[in-house]
Amino acid sequence: DPETLNQCEARLRQQVSDQARLHTLEEENAVLRAAAKFSETSGYDQVGALVISRELGTLRGRLLIDLGANDHVEIGQAVVTGEGIYIGRISSVETHIATVELLSDTQSRVAAATEAQNTLVGVIEGRGNGAATLTFIPSSLELNVDQIIVTAGTEEKIPARLPVGIINSITRTPKDPFYSASIDPL
């Protein structure tokens, strides 16, 4: 019967639509739960923002968020994911929007420490294409592959101990006072 078939197809379309909506709500719920957990334990004032635009290229890595000066967003403030992972800093602010310079942006620099010790070990510099390098590591300091790197907290608006990335590889040159390490941003 064609009418029964049409009714079944309509119910199937509705169920597919409901399932997609449920999946979206489950993802949003997981993000909000992670943000709430980080918010409870971090001790920092936080505001949630939505990404409204992104520029991810070979040299640049920037996001445009839906908060600005009216929301007390300031240049230099740390930007973290809901789980508390450092992804960049505010680089420009307008009334209702702000630009985030991502960790991998070639203009990005942030002081870094190891997770185990809260001492400055170098500077993380963006390399573009989602990559970053830990530079100016004193040759007297031993770092290892798979070590977690965090923010050092030496900059005014970037708190210490925010997770940043994991050391992927180390590059040393004999007699050089410093060495570098490739970082996989979290």
Side-chain angles (χ1 to χ4, degrees), residues 24 27 30 34 46-47 52 60 64 71-72 89-90 102 106 113 123 149 157 165 170 185:
T24 301
E27 286 179 353
Q46 301 170 40
V47 292
I52 55 177
R60 303 302 312 203
L64 192 63
D71 306 293
H72 308 291
R89 74 176 81 210
I90 302 294
L102 295 174
T106 55
V123 176
I149 301 299
K157 297 178 183 175
I170 295 173

Side-chain angles (χ1 to χ4, degrees), residues 99-115:
T99 301
V100 177
E101 180 182 80
L102 295 174
L103 180 69
S104 62
D105 189 291
T106 55
Q107 302 296 309
S108 175
R109 308 281 182 276
V110 65
T114 59
E115 182 184 37

Side-chain angles (χ1 to χ4, degrees), residues 49-55 63-67 96-98:
L50 295 174
V51 174
I52 55 177
S53 173
R54 66 184 93 200
E55 176 186 351
L63 304 175
L64 192 63
I65 59 172
D66 68 343
L67 298 178
H96 298 288
I97 60 172

Side-chain angles (χ1 to χ4, degrees), residues 1 4 6-7 36 58 60 67 83 133 138 152 154:
D1 169 17
T4 305
N6 286 341
Q7 289 174 350
T58 55
R60 303 302 312 203
L67 298 178
E83 296 84 12
T133 301
T154 58

